[in-house]
Structures are given as C-alpha cells and as structure tokens.
Amino acid sequence: MVSSFYIRAIEIIKKIPEGKVATYGQIAKYAGDPRGSRQIARILHSSSEKHELPWHRVVNSNGKISFKPGCGLELQKSLLESEGVIFDKDNKVDFKKYLWKPFG
DNA sequence: CAACTGACGATAG
DNA sequence: CCTATCGCCAGTT
C-alpha cells in the first residue's frame, strides 16, 4: 500500500543535501499533508533501510533529535557532524545555517 | 472491525 | 524549561 504522500515524502527526504537538515512537519507539509508528521516517522523507519534515506537529516520541529542517548542519538549526531552539521549543547542544530528548504 | 502504537506538532498550565 | 494533553494518520495486533 503506497500513498502519494509516502512517495512524495521519500522523494523529498532523498533530496536533502549533505550538511542540511529538515523537520518532520516541513517534510510532511511539503509532501502534501501538513499533519503527516507522524507518517514521516513511520516512513523513515520503514524506508530508511529500503530506500537508503538520510534519516539522520530529519529532526523534530525544535531542531532537536527525538532520540535519547543510547537510542541512536549519538549515531545521528555523529553522522550529521560528519557532514558539517554542528549540534549545540542541547543537541540542537542551528536552523539558520542548516535548515534545508525544498525550494532552495 | 476496534483498539493500540508511534523517531511528531502545537497548545496549555 | 518541563510535563500533560489533544490532534493527525497509517500500520499492527
């Protein structure tokens, strides 16, 4: 079962460039469902492996990671820092520098 | 088919 | 800043 929202979200996520991040709400909204933030989480889970999505470039609305230390937080943080995205002391990214915009 | 679940978002206190 | 709660929607049980 594949909804257009799902496909669209995948396409968007795959387009996130290195050194940039996007939010769940942003992706969901741009994919056609302003409130599909939860589906984004599902998509990342079910497709990050199948579609090799840069799941680590997706953070919540605060620019923070939803994980907890030991649950992947370190991994995501590490991956992003490898791409040039720096986290502050609150494990947040600087949207002014790293927020990716679908329109450029 | 009904209830539960979830890598969320926004609002309220 | 933090927790609590509602709303959204698809996938599971």
Side-chain angles (χ1 to χ4, degrees):
Chain A
M1 179 63 175
V2 288
S3 57
S4 112
F5 169 75
Y6 171 87
I7 297 174
R8 223 170 270 284
I10 296 288
E11 291 299 305
I12 293 170
I13 295 168
K14 285 169 63 176
K15 288 180 178 178
I16 302 176
E18 293 184 8
K20 293 286 184 178
V21 298
T23 69
Y24 289 84
Q26 180 186 14
I27 295 170
K29 193 170 174 182
Y30 189 62
D33 189 339
R35 314 188 215 179
S37 55
R38 318 208 63 158
Q39 280 53 265
I40 300 301
R42 291 195 151 300
I43 290 169
L44 290 175
H45 258 281
S46 68
S47 305
S48 59
E49 295 179 20
K50 298 175 186 175
H51 296 271
E52 298 184 326
L53 300 180
W55 58 271
H56 55 271
R57 296 187 190 132
V58 183
V59 296
N60 67 15
S61 63
N62 295 302
K64 289 186 61 178
I65 301 175
S66 303
F67 301 143
K68 299 182 291 190
C71 285
L73 180 86
E74 293 293 345
L75 175 61
Q76 179 164 23
K77 194 172 168 184
S78 178
L79 286 168
L80 288 174
E81 291 187 329
S82 295
E83 298 181 350
V85 177
I86 307 304
F87 285 75
D88 65 20
K89 62 180 179 176
D90 296 315
N91 290 317
K92 294 198 314 186
V93 300
D94 187 345
F95 275 167
K96 291 187 305 180
K97 296 179 181 175
Y98 308 117
L99 181 62
W100 174 68
K101 301 184 212 171
F103 298 102

